[in-house]
């Protein structure tokens, strides 16, 4: 499954170079520095979703975000729900992944 097409279906945009590099990285930890609004949330979320779909046996079942406040938590959770919904509707995911807010 092509990551560029997957990313486009999830977000409505083509991935930036750094977003593709993050998806292809085998590093266990990564520092991602980018200006506000450039797609850091989508970089991590869509790369993980793509791996969940294309490499389910080796991809962690859960993606956990630790965020400093309720407003940011709601924003990231809403983005995640929207991206997952778009991918299910497009047929890229068989069933939705649940998003929990704690």
């Amino acid at each position: 499954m092509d990551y560029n097409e997957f990313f486009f279906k999830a977000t409505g945009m083509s991935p930036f170079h750094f977003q593709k590099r993050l998806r292809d990285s085998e590093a266990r930890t990564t520092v991602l520095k980018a200006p506000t609004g450039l797609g850091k949330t989508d970089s991590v979320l869509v790369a993980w979703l793509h791996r969940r779909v294309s490499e389910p046996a080796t991809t962690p079942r859960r993606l956990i975000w630790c965020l400093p406040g309720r407003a940011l938590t709601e924003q990231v959770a809403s983005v995640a729900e929207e991206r997952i919904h778009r991918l299910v509707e497009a047929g890229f995911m068989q069933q939705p992944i649940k998003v929990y807010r704690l």
Side-chain angles (χ1 to χ4, degrees):
M1 176 183 321
D2 179 59
Y3 183 65
N4 291 335
E5 184 180 359
F6 187 90
F7 192 95
F8 184 80
K9 289 294 182 185
T11 67
M13 299 174 282
S14 296
F16 291 113
H17 182 67
F18 76 89
Q19 292 169 319
K20 289 188 274 189
R21 275 193 333 204
L22 180 67
R23 166 54 184 101
D24 294 337
S25 174
E26 296 295 330
R28 293 191 51 86
T29 61
T30 301
V31 174
L32 182 58
K33 288 178 67 174
T36 299
L38 204 56
K40 294 180 294 291
T41 300
D42 283 331
S43 299
V44 174
L45 176 64
V46 179
W48 177 77
L49 289 169
H50 187 257
R51 286 181 186 235
R52 281 296 305 147
V53 171
S54 63
E55 305 167 18
T58 59
T59 303
R61 292 181 56 217
R62 293 176 181 89
L63 175 62
I64 300 172
W65 297 82
C66 297
L67 302 166
R70 174 176 274 178
L72 187 55
T73 299
E74 287 300 322
Q75 178 184 351
V76 170
S78 294
V79 168
E81 289 167 338
E82 178 189 340
R83 301 305 186 240
I84 292 165
H85 176 75
R86 289 175 63 121
L87 290 167
V88 170
E89 289 292 313
F92 281 82
M93 295 175 65
Q94 299 302 314
Q95 42 186 293
I97 294 172
K98 293 181 182 179
V99 176
Y100 296 95
R101 295 159 175 87
L102 302 175

